[in-house]
Each structure stands twice: as C-alpha cells, then as structure tokens.
Amino acid sequence: AQKITQTQPGMFVQEKEAVTLDCTYDTSDPSYGLFWYKQPSSGEMIFLIYQGSYDQQNATEGRYSLNFQKARKSANLVISASQLGDSAMYFCAMRESTSGGSYIPTFGRGTSLIVHP
Amino acid sequence: DSGVTQTPKHLITATGQRVTLRCSPRSGDLSVYWYQQSLDQGLQFLIQYYNGEERAKGNILERFSAQQFPDLHSELNLSSLELGDSALYFCASRAGGANTGELFFGEGSRLTVL
C-alpha cells in the first residue's frame, strides 16, 4: 500500500493566486513527520516545510502553509500568491521511526505545478 | 545551496560498467541517505548511513553498494550497470539528535547507461 498519495499529477494556477496541492498518508506510527519538497526543472530537491504529528498548529513558512488534518490523514500544501518561480514538481514525504530508531522519509509520486502569467 | 555536495553531476557510461558516486554531507551531519529517482519508480530510498555505520536499507540492488568514511563522506558504487539503472541519484544528509528530521539534498548525479 502507498504510504504517501498525491492524487494530482498536474496542477495549473494563475500567477498571484493561491493553490493547494493534496497529500494523504498512511501510517500506524503515532510519531511521524510530514514534509514538502520542491524540485524545479534544474533537479535539486528543496525542503519547504515540516509538520510533526504532535504539532497542534499548522506549519507555515512564508508563502507556504501546511493544512494538517490528522483525522483525515491529510497534509495539503497551500502556496499563497503564486509566483512564476513556483513552477516545479512538489513532493510530499513522511518519515516514521523504524525499529532501529532511524528516520526514513518515504516520498509520494509528486505533483507538477505550472504557474501561468 | 543545501550544503550537500555530489559528484559527478552527470555521468554517461555503458552497460556492464561500474561507477562510483560521491557525496559530502553538510558540515556536522552524521546521517547520509541515498535515493534513486526514476520516471517509473519515483524517489526510492536505497540506503542510510549514520556515522560510518549502515543504519537502514531500502530497495537497493545487490549490484549496488555504499559506504560512509571516517570523514563522513559517502560513496555509492553501482556495478554491472543495466539500462534500467539510468536515473538521478540523490544523496541527502540530516543532522543527528532530536530534530524534525528533514533531509537536505545534494543536486544529484544524473546517470545515463547506454
């Protein structure tokens, strides 16, 4: 079973508008973390935002916010005031603690976001 | 700039050959992760090292091996290469201790097997 599901292969948004990228996850670990990464066409993976399973408030980092709905196991990324430079692949990831105490992030298949001028 | 350095950035080689990818983690990071990104498989975890010791193994083929050296740099060795090994290979590092656990990725090594 997929641990991270991103159902939107591609999304389009007008510049300056907000966009929500969906992510649902599956885990039985009570302590987990959720991440979003951005991968522009140049290829590097850029960390955007983190949400811990025990965090009471939604994480925010500048124009990025994470809409964390624990009961629904969803961790959607909201980008406000989209910019042309936001065009990229976006990956949702989850880390669980393994029996060895390590943290191995698992990634979704990604959503391609294109921002139109 | 994430602080993680990977070399080479691009590599073209033939089937049956062997290559070595190198990674220098961020200063002070003890954990190194290797991931493979291909179009059909997405981003797949290969292996993790922590302070020189193998910590976790993912979908790493027997033809692949890795190690982390005392200076904390890591190498991923890919042998008997096949066309399907063509992919972007990422190294990432993470600070040790109690933290949020985000990984900092290098720019990747793009391997093309012809």
Side-chain angles (χ1 to χ4, degrees):
Chain A
Q2 290 282 335
K3 290 200 170 185
I4 295 285
T5 303
Q6 294 180 254
T7 56
Q8 308 152 313
M11 289 283 286
F12 297 86
V13 66
Q14 201 76 23
E15 193 178 9
K16 299 180 185 175
E17 292 186 349
V19 62
T20 298
L21 306 183
D22 294 342
C23 172
T24 57
Y25 59 91
D26 182 27
T27 181
S28 56
D29 188 341
S31 176
Y32 54 90
L34 297 156
F35 308 86
W36 278 91
Y37 285 84
K38 172 184 178 182
Q39 186 178 36
S41 57
S42 50
E44 73 269 31
M45 294 284 284
I46 302 166
F47 166 71
L48 296 178
I49 196 166
Y50 167 82
Q51 179 85 40
S53 58
Y54 296 119
D55 294 342
Q56 295 296 313
Q57 295 195 328
N58 288 341
T60 59
E61 289 286 347
R63 293 185 299 109
Y64 304 108
S65 60
L66 200 151
N67 184 359
F68 182 46
Q69 298 188 40
K70 196 169 182 177
R72 293 187 177 185
K73 294 191 174 179
S74 106
N76 298 340
L77 177 70
V78 180
I79 305 175
S80 63
S82 297
Q83 301 172 356
L84 296 179
D86 294 334
S87 295
M89 282 290 289
Y90 288 81
F91 292 92
C92 179
M94 175 176 65
R95 65 117 179 101
E96 303 163 286
S97 52
T98 66
S99 58
S102 187
Y103 298 108
I104 308 299
T106 303
F107 286 77
R109 297 302 298 264
T111 295
S112 173
L113 175 67
I114 296 176
V115 180
H116 288 299
Chain B
D1 183 0
S2 68
V4 178
T5 303
Q6 286 188 250
T7 56
K9 285 188 169 42
H10 300 277
L11 192 55
I12 301 174
T13 189
T15 54
Q17 295 298 304
R18 172 190 170 95
V19 299
T20 297
L21 310 180
R22 182 187 168 100
C23 168
S24 294
R26 292 188 319 161
S27 177
D29 284 359
L30 300 179
S31 274
V32 168
Y33 297 72
W34 286 97
Y35 281 83
Q36 178 193 58
Q37 185 180 33
S38 59
L39 282 174
D40 55 343
Q41 295 291 327
L43 204 64
Q44 297 285 314
F45 167 69
L46 296 178
I47 197 163
Q48 181 211 359
Y49 280 82
Y50 178 83
N51 202 20
E53 300 284 330
E54 182 184 304
R55 180 61 68 92
K57 231 172 184 178
N59 301 322
I60 188 166
L61 299 171
E62 285 191 10
R63 300 183 285 109
F64 297 179
S65 65
Q67 54 184 328
Q68 186 180 28
F69 295 86
D71 66 353
L72 300 177
H73 92 271
S74 178
E75 292 180 358
L76 178 67
N77 300 296
L78 315 175
S79 61
S80 302
L81 285 168
E82 301 175 0
L83 296 177
D85 297 328
S86 296
L88 186 55
Y89 291 85
F90 282 110
C91 168
S93 72
R94 179 176 74 85
N99 55 63
T100 55
E102 69 265 29
L103 302 186
F104 293 89
F105 284 80
E107 293 185 346
S109 293
R110 186 170 296 280
L111 173 66
T112 302
V113 182
L114 300 176

